[in-house]
Coordinates of all heavy atoms in Angstrom, one line a residue:
G6 N 116.7 109.8 122.1 CA 115.6 109.4 121.1 C 116.2 109.2 119.7 O 115.4 108.9 118.8
F7 N 117.5 109.3 119.5 CA 118.2 109.1 118.2 C 118.9 107.8 118.2 O 119.3 107.2 119.3 CB 119.1 110.2 117.9 CG 118.5 111.6 117.7 CD1 118.4 112.5 118.8 CD2 118.0 111.9 116.5 CE1 117.7 113.7 118.6 CE2 117.3 113.1 116.3 CZ 117.2 114.0 117.4
E8 N 119.0 107.2 117.0 CA 119.8 105.9 116.9 C 121.3 106.2 117.0 O 121.8 107.3 116.8 CB 119.4 105.3 115.5 CG 118.2 104.5 115.5 CD 118.1 103.7 114.2 OE1 118.8 103.9 113.2 OE2 117.3 102.7 114.2
T9 N 122.0 105.1 117.3 CA 123.4 105.1 117.3 C 124.0 105.7 116.1 O 123.7 105.3 114.9 CB 124.0 103.7 117.6 OG1 123.5 103.3 118.9 CG2 125.5 103.7 117.5
F10 N 124.9 106.7 116.2 CA 125.6 107.4 115.2 C 124.8 108.2 114.3 O 125.3 108.7 113.3 CB 126.4 106.4 114.3 CG 127.4 105.5 115.1 CD1 127.6 104.2 114.7 CD2 128.1 106.0 116.1 CE1 128.5 103.4 115.4 CE2 129.0 105.2 116.8 CZ 129.2 103.9 116.5
D11 N 123.5 108.5 114.6 CA 122.7 109.5 113.9 C 123.5 110.8 113.8 O 123.9 111.3 114.8 CB 121.4 109.7 114.5 CG 120.3 108.7 114.1 OD1 120.6 107.9 113.2 OD2 119.2 108.7 114.6
G12 N 123.6 111.3 112.6 CA 124.1 112.7 112.3 C 125.6 112.7 112.3 O 126.2 113.8 112.2
D13 N 126.3 111.6 112.4 CA 127.8 111.6 112.4 C 128.5 112.2 111.2 O 129.5 112.8 111.3 CB 128.4 110.2 112.7 CG 128.4 109.9 114.2 OD1 128.0 110.7 115.0 OD2 128.9 108.8 114.5
L14 N 127.8 112.1 110.0 CA 128.4 112.7 108.8 C 128.4 114.2 108.8 O 128.9 114.9 108.0 CB 127.7 112.2 107.6 CG 127.8 110.6 107.4 CD1 127.3 110.3 106.0 CD2 129.2 110.1 107.5
L15 N 127.8 114.8 109.9 CA 127.8 116.2 110.0 C 129.2 116.7 110.5 O 129.6 117.8 110.2 CB 126.7 116.7 111.0 CG 125.3 116.9 110.4 CD1 124.3 117.1 111.5 CD2 125.3 118.1 109.5
W16 N 129.9 115.9 111.3 CA 131.2 116.3 111.8 C 132.3 115.6 111.2 O 133.4 116.1 111.0 CB 131.2 116.2 113.3 CG 131.0 114.8 113.9 CD1 129.8 114.3 114.3 CD2 132.0 113.8 114.1 NE1 130.0 113.0 114.8 CE2 131.4 112.7 114.7 CE3 133.4 113.7 113.9 CZ2 132.0 111.5 115.0 CZ3 134.1 112.6 114.2 CH2 133.4 111.5 114.8
Y17 N 132.1 114.3 110.8 CA 133.2 113.5 110.3 C 133.6 114.0 108.9 O 132.9 114.0 107.9 CB 132.9 112.0 110.2 CG 134.0 111.2 109.5 CD1 135.1 110.9 110.3 CD2 133.9 110.8 108.2 CE1 136.2 110.2 109.7 CE2 134.9 110.1 107.6 CZ 136.0 109.8 108.4 OH 137.0 109.1 107.8
G18 N 134.9 114.6 108.8 CA 135.4 115.0 107.5 C 134.8 116.3 107.0 O 135.1 116.7 105.8
T19 N 134.0 117.0 107.8 CA 133.4 118.3 107.3 C 134.2 119.5 107.9 O 134.9 119.3 108.8 CB 131.9 118.4 107.6 OG1 131.8 118.7 109.0 CG2 131.2 117.1 107.3
N20 N 133.9 120.6 107.3 CA 134.4 121.9 107.9 C 133.3 122.6 108.6 O 133.5 123.8 108.9 CB 135.0 122.8 106.8 CG 134.1 123.1 105.6 OD1 132.9 122.8 105.7 ND2 134.5 123.6 104.6
Y21 N 132.2 122.0 108.9 CA 131.1 122.6 109.7 C 131.6 122.9 111.1 O 132.3 122.1 111.7 CB 129.9 121.7 109.8 CG 129.2 121.5 108.5 CD1 128.6 120.2 108.2 CD2 129.1 122.4 107.5 CE1 127.9 120.0 107.0 CE2 128.4 122.2 106.3 CZ 127.8 121.0 106.1 OH 127.2 120.7 104.9
S22 N 131.3 124.1 111.6 CA 131.6 124.4 113.0 C 130.7 123.6 113.9 O 129.7 123.1 113.5 CB 131.4 125.9 113.3 OG 130.0 126.3 113.2
R23 N 131.0 123.6 115.2 CA 130.2 122.9 116.2 C 128.8 123.5 116.2 O 127.8 122.8 116.3 CB 130.8 122.9 117.5 CG 132.1 122.1 117.6 CD 132.9 122.3 118.9 NE 134.3 121.9 118.8 CZ 135.2 122.1 119.6 NH1 135.0 122.9 120.7 NH2 136.4 121.7 119.4
E24 N 128.7 124.8 116.2 CA 127.4 125.5 116.2 C 126.6 125.1 115.0 O 125.4 124.8 115.1 CB 127.6 127.0 116.3 CG 126.2 127.7 116.4 CD 126.3 129.2 116.6 OE1 127.4 129.6 117.2 OE2 125.4 130.0 116.3
E25 N 127.2 125.1 113.8 CA 126.5 124.7 112.6 C 126.1 123.3 112.6 O 125.0 122.9 112.1 CB 127.3 125.0 111.3 CG 126.6 124.8 110.0 CD 127.3 125.2 108.8 OE1 128.4 125.7 108.9 OE2 126.7 125.1 107.7
I26 N 126.9 122.4 113.1 CA 126.5 121.0 113.3 C 125.3 120.8 114.1 O 124.3 120.1 113.7 CB 127.7 120.2 113.9 CG1 128.9 120.1 113.0 CG2 127.2 118.8 114.4 CD1 130.1 119.6 113.6
I27 N 125.2 121.5 115.2 CA 124.1 121.5 116.1 C 122.8 122.0 115.5 O 121.7 121.5 115.6 CB 124.4 122.2 117.5 CG1 125.5 121.5 118.2 CG2 123.1 122.3 118.3 CD1 126.1 122.4 119.3
K28 N 123.0 123.1 114.7 CA 121.8 123.8 114.1 C 121.3 122.9 112.9 O 120.1 122.7 112.8 CB 122.2 125.1 113.5 CG 122.4 126.2 114.6 CD 122.8 127.5 114.0 CE 122.8 128.6 115.1 NZ 123.2 129.9 114.5
R29 N 122.2 122.2 112.2 CA 121.8 121.4 111.1 C 121.1 120.1 111.6 O 120.2 119.6 111.0 CB 123.0 121.0 110.2 CG 123.5 122.1 109.3 CD 124.6 121.6 108.4 NE 124.9 122.6 107.3 CZ 124.2 122.6 106.2 NH1 123.3 121.7 105.9 NH2 124.5 123.5 105.3
F30 N 121.6 119.6 112.8 CA 121.0 118.4 113.4 C 119.6 118.6 113.8 O 118.8 117.7 114.0 CB 121.9 118.0 114.6 CG 121.5 116.6 115.1 CD1 121.8 115.5 114.3 CD2 120.9 116.4 116.3 CE1 121.5 114.2 114.8 CE2 120.6 115.2 116.8 CZ 120.9 114.1 116.0
A31 N 119.1 119.9 113.9 CA 117.8 120.2 114.3 C 116.8 119.6 113.3 O 115.6 119.4 113.6 CB 117.6 121.7 114.4
N32 N 117.2 119.3 112.1 CA 116.4 118.8 111.0 C 116.3 117.3 111.0 O 115.6 116.7 110.2 CB 116.8 119.3 109.6 CG 116.6 120.8 109.5 OD1 115.5 121.3 109.6 ND2 117.8 121.5 109.3
Y33 N 117.1 116.6 111.8 CA 117.2 115.2 111.8 C 116.0 114.5 112.6 O 115.7 114.9 113.7 CB 118.5 114.7 112.5 CG 119.1 113.4 112.0 CD1 120.2 113.4 111.1 CD2 118.5 112.2 112.3 CE1 120.7 112.2 110.6 CE2 119.0 111.0 111.9 CZ 120.1 111.0 111.0 OH 120.6 109.8 110.6
K34 N 115.4 113.6 111.9 CA 114.2 113.0 112.5 C 114.6 112.0 113.6 O 115.5 111.2 113.5 CB 113.4 112.2 111.4 CG 112.9 113.1 110.3 CD 111.9 114.2 110.8 CE 111.4 115.0 109.7 NZ 110.5 116.1 110.2
M35 N 113.8 112.0 114.7 CA 114.1 111.1 115.8 C 113.6 109.7 115.5 O 112.6 109.5 114.8 CB 113.4 111.6 117.1 CG 113.9 113.0 117.5 SD 113.1 113.7 119.0 CE 113.6 112.5 120.2
T36 N 114.2 108.7 116.1 CA 113.9 107.3 115.8 C 113.0 106.8 116.9 O 112.0 106.1 116.7 CB 115.2 106.5 115.7 OG1 116.0 107.0 114.7 CG2 114.8 105.0 115.4
Y37 N 113.4 107.0 118.2 CA 112.7 106.5 119.4 C 112.0 107.6 120.1 O 112.1 108.8 119.8 CB 113.7 105.9 120.3 CG 114.7 104.9 119.8 CD1 116.1 105.2 119.8 CD2 114.3 103.8 119.1 CE1 117.0 104.3 119.3 CE2 115.2 102.9 118.6 CZ 116.6 103.1 118.7 OH 117.5 102.3 118.2
D38 N 111.1 107.2 121.0 CA 110.5 108.1 121.9 C 111.6 108.6 122.9 O 112.5 107.8 123.3 CB 109.4 107.5 122.7 CG 108.2 107.3 121.9 OD1 108.0 108.0 120.9 OD2 107.4 106.4 122.2
F39 N 111.5 109.8 123.3 CA 112.5 110.5 124.2 C 112.6 109.7 125.5 O 111.6 109.3 126.1 CB 112.0 111.9 124.5 CG 112.9 112.7 125.3 CD1 114.3 112.7 125.2 CD2 112.4 113.6 126.3 CE1 115.1 113.5 126.0 CE2 113.1 114.4 127.0 CZ 114.5 114.4 126.9
R40 N 113.8 109.4 125.9 CA 114.2 108.7 127.2 C 113.7 107.3 127.3 O 113.5 106.8 128.4 CB 113.6 109.5 128.4 CG 114.3 110.9 128.6 CD 113.7 111.7 129.7 NE 114.3 113.0 129.9 CZ 113.7 114.0 130.4 NH1 112.5 113.9 130.9 NH2 114.3 115.2 130.5
T41 N 113.4 106.7 126.2 CA 112.9 105.3 126.3 C 113.9 104.2 125.8 O 113.9 103.1 126.3 CB 111.6 105.1 125.4 OG1 112.0 105.4 124.0 CG2 110.5 106.0 125.9
D42 N 114.8 104.6 124.9 CA 115.8 103.6 124.4 C 117.2 104.2 124.3 O 117.4 105.4 124.2 CB 115.4 103.2 122.9 CG 114.2 102.3 122.9 OD1 114.4 101.1 123.1 OD2 113.0 102.8 122.7
Y43 N 118.1 103.3 124.4 CA 119.5 103.7 124.2 C 119.9 103.9 122.8 O 119.5 103.1 121.9 CB 120.4 102.5 124.8 CG 121.9 102.6 124.4 CD1 122.7 103.5 125.0 CD2 122.3 101.8 123.3 CE1 124.1 103.5 124.6 CE2 123.7 101.9 123.0 CZ 124.5 102.7 123.6 OH 125.9 102.8 123.2
G44 N 120.6 105.0 122.5 CA 121.1 105.3 121.2 C 122.4 106.1 121.3 O 122.3 107.2 121.9
Y45 N 123.5 105.5 121.0 CA 124.8 106.2 121.2 C 124.9 107.3 120.2 O 125.0 107.1 119.0 CB 125.9 105.1 120.9 CG 127.3 105.6 121.2 CD1 127.9 105.5 122.5 CD2 128.1 106.2 120.3 CE1 129.1 105.9 122.8 CE2 129.4 106.7 120.5 CZ 129.9 106.5 121.8 OH 131.2 106.9 122.1
N46 N 125.0 108.6 120.7 CA 124.9 109.7 119.8 C 126.0 110.7 120.1 O 126.0 111.3 121.2 CB 123.5 110.4 119.9 CG 123.4 111.4 118.8 OD1 123.8 112.6 119.0 ND2 122.8 111.0 117.7

């Protein structure tokens, strides 16, 4: 349900741990309806 590359700036070049990346991504708004469209994430 997310667009291609949504949230990538959470890991690229940051010192966030994987767990923190996942927790922060919880605030990211979805673009598509779940399971309806392709989005490389």
Side-chain angles (χ1 to χ4, degrees):
F7 293 95
E8 277 194 341
T9 293
F10 302 143
D11 272 355
D13 273 2
L14 298 189
L15 278 168
W16 60 267
Y17 176 74
T19 76
N20 56 9
Y21 294 146
S22 68
R23 294 169 195 167
E24 181 173 336
E25 185 170 3
I26 289 167
I27 296 167
K28 287 180 176 178
R29 282 183 171 275
F30 191 68
N32 295 297
Y33 208 104
K34 298 299 181 184
M35 298 177 68
T36 304
Y37 309 121
D38 289 334
F39 182 41
R40 294 178 184 154
T41 59
D42 285 279
Y43 163 80
Y45 186 90
N46 191 274

